[in-house]
Each structure stands twice: as C-alpha cells, then as structure tokens.
Amino acid sequence: MTKQQANWSPYDNNGGSCVAIAGADYCVIAADTRMSTGYSILTREYSKICKLADKSVMASSGFQADVKALQKHLAARHLIYQHQHNKQMSCPAMAQLLSNTLYYKRFFPYYAFNVLGGLDSEGKGCVYTYDAVGSYERVGYSAQGSGSTLIMPFLDNQLKSPSPLLLPAQDAVTPLSELEAVDLVKTVFASATERDIYTGDKLEIVILNADGIRHEYMELRKD
Amino acid sequence: MATTMVKEVGSEPAQLLGPESASERTLYPYVTGTSVVALKYKDGILMAADMGASYGSTLRYKSVERMKSIGKHSLLGASGEISDFQEILHYLDELILYDNMWDDGNSLGPKEVHSYLTRVMYNRRNKFNPLWNSLVLGGVKNGQKYLGMVSMIGVNFEDNHVATGFGNHLARPILRDEWHENLSFEDGVKLLEKCMRVLLYRDRSAVNKLQIAKITEEGVTISQPYALKTFWGFSAFQNPTVGAEGSW
C-alpha cells in the first residue's frame, strides 16, 4: 500500500510587502495592511508591523500564523530580558535574537520574511534584513515580501548604497532627510500596488527617531 | 510480522505496534459543515450558518447546530469537520469551567477565547495533526464588539465582517459593498439572509435550513431553524426541453 500523501499544507502565503530605510538619525519601517489567501482578500486592515522594543520595530510578511507566533515569541523574550537586565534590548541585540529564533526552526521554518528597523546605540538608523531561516545582514535599506522584487530595484536606484566590500567602510545609511525617505516609501508602495496583487489597501508607516515613535497612514489602491 | 498480529487481535491501537504502525494523524475531513457568515451591527454580532453536515457528496445530517455560545460573552461558529468542532467545544467547556472556578467576578471575553482558539489551532498544525475547521468567534464585552476568524492552520484576524469557506468568495463581496457601522438588527439580518441566499443558490453543500444567532451585551440568542424564500421562476427554466431536438 502506497504511503498516504498529505492533502493539506502547513503553510500559506498571506502576502504583503515590507520595507525599511535607515537614515542618519531616523529609521522608517513600512508595510501594507492587506491580508490575502490564494486569490481572496481576508481583510484590508491587518498590521504587519510589531514594536519589539523602544528602538526595534519589525515588519514581517509571509504566513501570518507563523509571523504572529514569531512576534509573540520575541516579545516574550524581550520581557524576560527586561526583567533580567533592567533595560531595553538594543536593536543589534534584537537582530541577533531574531536570527537565532529563526534558525532554531531550521527544519520546520517560520515562513516569515522580516525586516527589522531601529536605532543603534549611537542613535543612527539601522536596518537588518532576513530570510526565512535566519540569514541576516545590516543594510541601509531593504524590502521583503510579495512586492520585494518590484520595490528593491527602485530603492537600489534611488538610494545608491555603497558596496559593503569597499575599504575604508562607507556609511550604508541614506543621506536623505526623514521627510524625503517617507515620501520615497509612499512612492514605492504606490508603484508596487499597481503590479503586485497581494499589495494594496493601506500603507502603514512607522518612523523612529530621537524624539520617539510616529505613525503615518496612506490609502492604497484596493483592487 | 507486526501487521499479522494486528489482524489477529483486531483492536490494538496503532501506537503499540512497531515502526510500521499507521499514522493516526488527520488526513482529510469526513463529515463537514459549509460556510459561516457573521457581521458586527449596532448592538453586537450577528452570525448565520445552515444546519447541514455532508459526508462527501451525501447530505448526511440536516439538524446540526454549527453555532454555540461560549461562556457569557462569546459565540462560536464552525465550518469543516464536525467531530473536530465537537472536540473544540469540549476544550472550551473545560476552559470556561476553570475560568468560572476562579469565582473572581471576571470572565473570559471574546478576544481571549479567540486567542485561545488560535493557539490551539496553530499548535495542532505544528504537530501535523490539524483540527480541520474554520472558526468564527464573535462577542461583546463591556460594550466592546469583537469578531474574529481562525483557520485550520492558525491564520487569524478580526474584522467587521467575516465568512468561512465559500462565504469568503460569495458573501464577503456583498458585505464589503453593503455593510456599514451601526446596522440595525433588522438590516443586519436582511444582509445576512442576502448572503445566505446567494450561498444557497451557488454552494452545492448548502441546505435551506439555517439559524441566525445574535450576541449582545445581554447574551446569546440562537434562532429556531427556518428556511429562506428562493425564486426559480426564470423563463429559462420553463419548458427546458424546447429547442433540445437537433441541438447539442
């Protein structure tokens, strides 16, 4: 008798795009609010952004149940850290924790595509970009999710990040002002919405800077 | 050798056998319920589900209550495998019992029950043995209305209106067009009936015997089963054999 094949998948792609851009003294993290399954929209108002610590904000797209579980896991670990060290986790520390958490499930991965944005200990913007099993690197900007292939080349063109191989090392953060960066993010999402069916409805933007945290929203096409 | 032993004894559970034992994980659903549709209205949540349970293409059971009240503040509707729904009700019974035993004047609201169900569904999916249901959880607590959904693999969200299965394809577009804040009870019921009528016409596993449930701050009311009026008097259905001879 042939072995039974499963006729259900433990994974689903609930779509959406995430972007983060690091500036000299700010960081912009953005994601759309559409949640889909197959060719259906489940809801138009679902936030993919999660504030993990005072200076670390994560945006994740992919399989929503895994994303939720990952966010819960990291939030719990951060709470323990605060109890043990009486301080907030720094963004680089959270970046490492996220990588380790993802790799822990290397053989049954969290189907989550993450960008972590925040401010490092010097107050400079930092963005870390991940794959589903925890490979990560610090970059000046990144896009993940269903619209990433449409967004990333445009960001490469506009932000012209210097090669990380150069010596002496050059700053990856963009010289753009905070307002210019936010404007760029809005442009980028409006474009991705045109061609990616899983991106749209509304754009949620979180801006982290020395003054604290700020939210902005923008309507996107709903088709 | 191990397999012959099974045949002789007859009712050995599979775990007692060696490595050749069959897996007892869920592979596919057997007795299933179809769509559940729900929306928020002025005083709370309205939810509708028909009373059919199919065994593949057979309509096996015609009086299945697929919506149940949970505790004081929540209403659960389920589509998918009925036996898994019954098991979920059993877990929730225990959850509510322990909540009541605290006797502290506090009680689990719909948000908490939804969170619990999400964890249960996700954990079963992690063990590759899912509860084959799509659940709709609605309720009101302290004036706050709540309506959410969980799928069999743990995908969950809340919204002003939700639907499972075919309802997602046929009812949601109607709701997106016609739902608005502060619907009256009558308008809410009319809107739900419109959705259920479309499902009745187009979902082959739907039956014309449904219940509508309402949950408000005061509590849960599940209506008596009733049928929707349908219209079949289209001219195309009159004299169906006219023009048949000579045509394909």
Side-chain angles (χ1 to χ4, degrees):
Chain A
M1 179 156 176
T2 47
K3 191 175 177 192
Q4 279 285 5
Q5 296 292 336
N7 48 11
W8 66 281
S9 168
Y11 292 114
D12 189 15
N13 190 352
N14 301 116
S17 311
C18 308
V19 165
I21 301 179
D25 60 351
Y26 67 87
C27 187
V28 179
I29 302 101
D32 69 324
T33 62
R34 173 177 286 180
M35 189 166 126
S36 340
T37 178
Y39 285 115
S40 295
I41 296 176
L42 288 174
T43 182
R44 297 190 191 276
E45 295 187 51
Y46 187 81
S47 173
K48 297 184 187 59
I49 301 183
C50 179
K51 182 178 156 191
L52 296 173
D54 269 355
K55 305 224 169 92
S56 303
V57 174
M58 179 173 79
S60 322
S61 72
F63 174 44
Q64 186 263 350
D66 272 349
V67 166
K68 213 38 181 305
L70 184 63
Q71 288 172 349
K72 262 178 177 261
H73 185 111
L74 293 170
R77 288 296 298 271
H78 185 234
L79 192 58
I80 295 169
Y81 183 95
Q82 286 179 79
H83 289 153
Q84 289 175 342
H85 302 277
N86 197 20
K87 66 173 184 176
Q88 295 272 323
M89 265 176 95
S90 68
C91 196
M94 186 58 84
Q96 184 70 62
L97 178 62
L98 173 53
S99 169
N100 292 155
T101 307
L102 291 169
Y103 196 78
Y104 205 76
K105 276 179 47 90
R106 170 65 177 78
F107 300 109
F108 184 19
Y110 287 112
Y111 192 80
F113 298 98
N114 312 290
V115 280
L116 181 70
L119 301 170
D120 65 15
S121 37
E122 295 163 21
K124 271 198 353 218
C126 60
V127 170
Y128 295 89
T129 189
Y130 295 78
D131 72 357
V133 286
S135 268
Y136 81 116
E137 96 180 291
R138 181 171 176 176
V139 288
Y141 58 90
S142 182
Q144 289 283 355
S146 56
S148 63
T149 47
L150 298 167
I151 296 171
M152 204 55 182
F154 188 66
L155 290 179
D156 285 334
N157 177 268
Q158 294 296 306
L159 298 172
K160 285 198 194 356
S161 203
S163 167
L165 302 169
L166 285 171
L167 277 176
Q170 284 189 27
D171 226 353
V173 299
T174 175
L176 285 182
S177 76
E178 189 183 295
L179 254 58
E180 286 174 319
V182 171
D183 211 57
L184 176 60
V185 161
K186 290 178 178 173
T187 308
V188 135
F189 267 91
S191 310
T193 302
E194 293 289 320
R195 291 288 180 176
D196 177 22
I197 61 174
Y198 298 109
T199 301
D201 292 330
K202 201 154 71 166
L203 171 62
E204 182 184 5
I205 311 175
V206 171
I207 303 114
L208 271 172
N209 54 27
D211 303 327
I213 195 164
R214 193 173 101 238
H215 286 254
E216 260 189 63
Y217 294 91
M218 186 182 92
E219 292 296 319
L220 294 171
R221 284 183 66 156
K222 296 171 193 329
D223 61 0
Chain B
M1 268 294 120
T3 36
T4 6
M5 275 166 66
V6 174
K7 285 202 179 87
E8 283 167 7
V9 180
S11 56
E12 285 289 345
Q15 302 112 307
L16 292 184
L17 303 172
E20 294 151 42
S21 56
S23 165
E24 290 195 340
R25 297 171 175 162
T26 303
L27 290 170
Y28 24 71
Y30 287 89
V31 179
T32 55
T34 185
S35 327
V36 177
V37 189
L39 48 79
K40 280 189 193 166
Y41 79 109
K42 188 162 55 81
D43 306 322
I45 311 291
L46 280 169
M47 196 184 294
D50 69 23
M51 300 192 78
S54 312
Y55 183 58
S57 52
T58 314
L59 212 208
R60 179 65 185 85
Y61 300 103
K62 295 193 265 191
S63 296
V64 180
E65 275 200 34
R66 294 195 290 116
M67 295 182 296
K68 293 285 184 185
S69 79
I70 311 292
K72 285 202 284 267
H73 306 283
S74 314
L75 177 62
L76 173 66
S79 68
E81 172 62 56
I82 299 297
S83 63
D84 282 348
F85 175 49
Q86 289 170 344
E87 192 168 313
I88 288 168
L89 290 175
H90 177 76
Y91 287 150
L92 287 172
D93 264 346
E94 206 177 71
L95 181 76
I96 300 296
L97 177 70
Y98 279 101
D99 187 40
N100 289 340
M101 290 201 319
W102 284 112
D103 200 20
D104 59 359
N106 201 4
S107 50
L108 291 172
K111 215 180 183 115
E112 289 81 57
V113 177
H114 186 226
S115 184
Y116 173 80
L117 287 172
T118 307
R119 291 292 109 222
V120 167
M121 302 302 272
Y122 185 67
N123 274 293
R124 288 290 294 258
R125 164 262 183 198
N126 283 348
K127 297 196 281 201
F128 279 90
N129 188 18
L131 289 161
W132 208 290
N133 295 107
S134 284
L135 304 170
V136 173
L137 200 297
V140 194
K141 189 174 174 203
N142 298 332
Q144 293 274 59
K145 300 185 282 245
Y146 185 89
L147 182 59
M149 220 195 83
V150 197
S151 80
M152 70 182 250
I153 46 175
V155 172
N156 71 295
F157 63 95
E158 38 165 328
D159 209 340
N160 294 319
H161 45 77
V162 295
T164 68
F166 261 95
N168 236 331
H169 294 100
L170 299 173
R172 281 317 272 297
I174 300 174
L175 292 164
R176 286 208 178 101
D177 199 28
E178 299 184 25
W179 183 90
H180 57 84
E181 290 272 9
N182 294 320
L183 277 165
S184 70
F185 174 74
E186 290 75 28
D187 283 343
V189 170
K190 251 207 293 248
L191 187 50
L192 268 184
E193 284 188 343
K194 185 172 185 177
C195 295
M196 295 305 281
R197 186 171 292 110
V198 171
L199 286 166
L200 181 60
Y201 282 130
R202 289 294 178 178
D203 177 6
R204 75 161 193 180
S205 30
V207 294
N208 197 2
K209 183 178 174 190
L210 72 146
Q211 291 177 304
I212 293 202
K214 152 176 97 122
I215 180 165
T216 63
E217 193 75 59
E218 281 79 56
V220 176
T221 334
I222 304 182
S223 75
Q224 286 292 80
Y226 69 103
L228 293 169
K229 282 206 190 55
T230 56
F231 179 71
W232 299 95
F234 295 101
S235 60
F237 296 157
Q238 258 60 281
N239 294 322
T241 56
V242 143
E245 193 183 320
S247 75
W248 287 108

